[in-house]
Amino acid sequence: MRLVLLGPPGVGKGTQAVRLSKRLGVPHISTGDMFREALAKKTALGLSAKEYMDSGKLVPNETTIGLVRDRLENPDCSRGFILDGFPRDVAQAEALKKILKSLGVSLDAAVYIDAGPDIVVKRITGRRVCEGCGATYHMTFNPPPEDGKCPKCGGRIYQRVDDREDTVRERLKVYKALTEPVVDYYEGVGILRTVNGEEDANEVLAAIISMI
């Protein structure tokens, strides 16, 4: 099964991708995670992406497409994959089509998880992350300890720059301008599936499974 998960930032694509990955037995590929890993390791790619990520803007297509191409060529993707965070514009969607064609495969579905902007802002700005192990928390749904230390590794729990409200609002503007047309793109080729991202996570997962 080869899937693309679409939707505004904070809608729950990552959560659903992880659960679908376990359910379907295929890798979850998150471009955001790949960039953050590169940044943590202070690679040239990570450092070049940092200024874009911190301001809520997209990393240039050439860099992102190259990263995804290399990942999809790995043997563990031969049975399928779940792409989270890519494609983010129509040019990336076209690039993905060419990459998959060169591999002799195609997408099975593009799943659009939809939610209103106020819901998205509340979800993202409440998110907190451990700088040590990467564990995630949420001020409303899964509050971190009062001492601000991760119970898993003792690392400091903090709010990422790209999770602050001003950055989130900027990310939503970018999404509206560049990523929403990708929804129309996949609808045009007949593989779009839409679910209500404002529902409970279990209900969203059930809806996705029923559609694919």
Side-chain angles (χ1 to χ4, degrees), residues 38-136:
L39 178 57
K41 293 180 179 178
K42 296 184 178 180
T43 65
L45 173 63
L47 294 175
S48 68
K50 184 178 187 300
E51 62 180 290
Y52 294 95
M53 295 172 67
D54 285 351
S55 62
K57 294 182 171 60
L58 300 181
V59 176
N61 274 356
E62 181 179 354
T63 301
T64 306
I65 292 168
L67 188 72
V68 171
R69 180 186 296 109
D70 290 346
R71 182 66 183 87
L72 292 181
E73 289 175 349
N74 286 357
D76 66 335
C77 292
S78 62
R79 295 180 57 251
F81 55 79
I82 300 167
L83 269 173
D84 163 23
F86 184 93
R88 286 191 172 179
D89 59 32
V90 173
Q92 289 185 359
E94 289 285 358
L96 177 60
K97 181 180 178 181
K98 292 179 181 178
I99 293 170
L100 296 180
K101 183 177 180 180
S102 71
L103 296 174
V105 297
S106 60
L107 283 179
D108 293 299
V111 179
Y112 176 42
I113 306 175
D114 192 19
D118 291 340
I119 296 292
V120 167
V121 171
K122 182 178 180 179
R123 287 179 179 175
I124 297 180
T125 56
R127 185 164 53 194
R128 299 294 185 271
V129 181
C130 171
E131 67 178 359
C133 66
T136 58

Side-chain angles (χ1 to χ4, degrees), residues 3 7 18 47 80 108 119 146 151 169 182 188 206:
L3 302 176
V18 169
L47 294 175
D108 293 299
I119 296 292
E146 292 185 4
R169 297 288 181 186
V182 179

Side-chain angles (χ1 to χ4, degrees), residues 5-211:
L5 296 189
L6 305 172
V11 78
K13 297 187 297 296
T15 297
Q16 297 302 333
V18 169
R19 299 176 74 177
L20 285 167
S21 174
K22 294 179 180 178
R23 181 76 173 261
L24 301 174
V26 297
H28 163 213
I29 301 173
S30 165
T31 51
D33 287 347
M34 285 192 286
F35 279 128
R36 280 187 281 271
E37 180 180 355
L39 178 57
K41 293 180 179 178
K42 296 184 178 180
T43 65
L45 173 63
L47 294 175
S48 68
K50 184 178 187 300
E51 62 180 290
Y52 294 95
M53 295 172 67
D54 285 351
S55 62
K57 294 182 171 60
L58 300 181
V59 176
N61 274 356
E62 181 179 354
T63 301
T64 306
I65 292 168
L67 188 72
V68 171
R69 180 186 296 109
D70 290 346
R71 182 66 183 87
L72 292 181
E73 289 175 349
N74 286 357
D76 66 335
C77 292
S78 62
R79 295 180 57 251
F81 55 79
I82 300 167
L83 269 173
D84 163 23
F86 184 93
R88 286 191 172 179
D89 59 32
V90 173
Q92 289 185 359
E94 289 285 358
L96 177 60
K97 181 180 178 181
K98 292 179 181 178
I99 293 170
L100 296 180
K101 183 177 180 180
S102 71
L103 296 174
V105 297
S106 60
L107 283 179
D108 293 299
V111 179
Y112 176 42
I113 306 175
D114 192 19
D118 291 340
I119 296 292
V120 167
V121 171
K122 182 178 180 179
R123 287 179 179 175
I124 297 180
T125 56
R127 185 164 53 194
R128 299 294 185 271
V129 181
C130 171
E131 67 178 359
C133 66
T136 58
Y137 302 87
H138 195 280
M139 300 305 292
T140 300
F141 309 115
N142 180 31
E146 292 185 4
D147 63 4
K149 295 182 178 180
C150 177
K152 297 181 179 180
C153 73
R156 181 178 68 93
I157 297 173
Y158 73 109
Q159 182 183 44
R160 295 188 323 216
V161 172
D162 54 343
D163 286 345
R164 296 174 184 171
E165 184 168 354
D166 57 342
T167 305
V168 174
R169 297 288 181 186
E170 179 63 26
R171 290 167 67 189
L172 287 174
K173 289 180 182 177
V174 172
Y175 168 78
K176 185 76 174 179
L178 297 179
T179 309
E180 278 198 348
V182 179
V183 176
D184 296 332
Y185 173 90
Y186 284 120
E187 184 173 31
V189 296
I191 63 171
L192 185 71
R193 308 289 184 268
T194 302
V195 299
N196 182 2
E198 297 184 9
E199 299 289 347
D200 173 85
N202 290 329
E203 295 178 355
V204 174
L205 178 63
I208 295 174
I209 293 296
S210 69
M211 289 179 175

